């Protein structure tokens, strides 16, 4: 045990942990994201504005109770680095941490704190096996820790991969995804207000398709939370 602690200490000296957003070594007491990045992250404050940009993006497309995003996503930014680490560098801890942070805010904000459960946007099974986890589910579990809402990770299912979205219009993307998403077990969700969770809102096609699948049951209502919104 003493030798193992020595090795861990030596590894920390030779390869100190770095901030997932800016790659600067973390100071004592910092974990995953440094204090400077927490201060400078581009927070949307969408939860304070029911008519925020994400909400306007989905007006007339799907009847949701509310939609919000934690951060703005710009290319070549701290947020892009965080999302890249989360999705492609085996860092589910980033999604959990970001969910916990945003959940501390949303547990005091309607309609999000009125949800009965949290359902992440699903990944196709083959992609889930390759990645080892669903990044949206990681964010969902972080929200759950702060908001004390259960996560129903298998509430939605992507039963086949969506065709390539490259050079597709917003409507074509929606059609591509809509034909691959279904409710996995309606008995778990019927009659509930669901917090639908995704990583990054871009065209809104994925959220629209998933919310549409849920809302085929008229007893279900949906609010949406995303980690980030593309700008």
């Amino acid at each position: 045990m003493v030798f193992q602690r020595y090795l861990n200490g030596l590894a920390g000296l030779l390869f100190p942990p770095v901030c997932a957003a800016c790659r600067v070594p973390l100071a004592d007491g910092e974990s995953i994201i440094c204090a400077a990045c927490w201060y400078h992250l581009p927070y949307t404050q969408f939860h304070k504005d029911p008519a925020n940009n994400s909400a306007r993006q989905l007006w007339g497309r799907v009847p949701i109770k509310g939609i919000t995003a934690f951060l703005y996503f710009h290319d070549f930014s701290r947020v892009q680095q965080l999302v890249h680490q989360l999705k492609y560098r085996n860092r589910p801890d980033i999604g959990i941490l970001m969910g916990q942070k945003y959940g501390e805010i949303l547990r005091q904000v309607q309609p999000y704190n009125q949800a009965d459960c949290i359902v992440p946007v699903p990944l196709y099974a083959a992609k889930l096996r390759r990645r080892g986890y669903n990044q949206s589910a990681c964010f969902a579990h972080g929200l759950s820790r702060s908001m004390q809402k259960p996560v129903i990770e298998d509430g939605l299912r992507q039963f086949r991969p969506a065709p390539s979205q490259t050079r597709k219009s917003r409507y074509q993307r929606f059609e591509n995804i809509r034909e691959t998403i279904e409710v996995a077990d309606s008995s778990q969700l019927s009659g509930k207000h669901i917090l639908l969770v995704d990583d990054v809102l871009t065209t809104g096609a994925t959220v629209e398709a998933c919310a549409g699948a849920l809302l085929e049951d008229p007893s279900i209502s949906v609010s949406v939370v995303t980690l980030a919104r593309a700008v």
Side-chain angles (χ1 to χ4, degrees), residues 19-225:
C19 172
C22 69
R23 313 306 294 164
V24 168
L26 293 168
D28 288 345
E30 293 179 337
S31 176
I32 303 177
I33 298 172
C34 71
C37 281
W38 278 122
Y39 182 80
H40 290 290
L41 286 174
Y43 302 102
T44 69
Q45 305 297 332
F46 280 179
H47 55 277
K48 298 179 180 179
D49 179 13
N52 63 66
N53 287 343
S54 289
R56 290 198 296 271
Q57 188 173 352
L58 291 180
W59 279 350
R61 290 166 55 178
V62 62
I64 56 176
K65 295 176 75 69
I67 179 169
T68 188
F70 192 22
L71 304 168
Y72 286 110
F73 181 103
H74 299 269
D75 289 338
F76 312 110
S77 68
R78 289 180 173 91
V79 177
Q80 184 187 49
Q81 177 71 7
L82 286 170
V83 172
H84 184 85
Q85 295 281 318
L86 168 62
K87 293 178 69 171
Y88 306 117
R89 291 292 181 265
N90 194 30
R91 294 296 306 271
D93 55 325
I94 293 171
I96 294 170
L97 175 63
M98 302 304 278
Q100 282 183 275
K101 290 289 187 180
Y102 204 26
E104 289 170 3
I105 297 170
L106 295 182
R107 67 187 177 189
Q108 302 179 52
V109 180
Q110 296 183 12
Y112 314 103
N113 62 358
Q114 298 175 329
D116 298 300
C117 61
I118 304 173
V119 174
V121 166
L123 278 184
Y124 182 58
K127 182 179 285 188
L128 181 60
R129 285 194 297 271
R130 288 196 301 272
R131 185 168 295 165
Y133 58 90
N134 177 349
Q135 72 277 0
S136 296
C138 297
F139 184 54
H141 282 289
L143 290 167
S144 173
R145 290 183 183 184
S146 296
M147 300 180 75
Q148 299 298 298
K149 309 286 186 183
V151 177
I152 302 178
E153 196 163 337
D154 59 349
L156 289 169
R157 183 171 76 95
Q158 186 174 7
F159 56 89
R160 67 168 179 261
S164 172
Q165 302 286 58
T166 305
R167 296 191 177 90
K168 294 290 194 302
S169 68
R170 194 278 306 168
Y171 183 75
Q172 289 171 322
R173 289 174 183 236
F174 164 69
E175 285 291 306
N176 276 353
I177 297 168
R178 183 178 64 112
E179 296 172 356
T180 73
I181 300 291
E182 65 182 6
V183 173
D185 182 358
S186 59
S187 66
Q188 294 189 91
L189 306 178
S190 189
K192 289 183 168 60
H193 176 190
I194 293 168
L195 208 60
L196 176 65
V197 170
D198 200 5
D199 54 359
V200 180
L201 183 76
T202 50
T203 66
T206 299
V207 163
E208 183 181 0
C210 290
L214 292 167
L215 292 169
E216 288 180 8
D217 181 338
S219 73
I220 288 175
S221 58
V222 175
S223 296
V224 178
V225 178

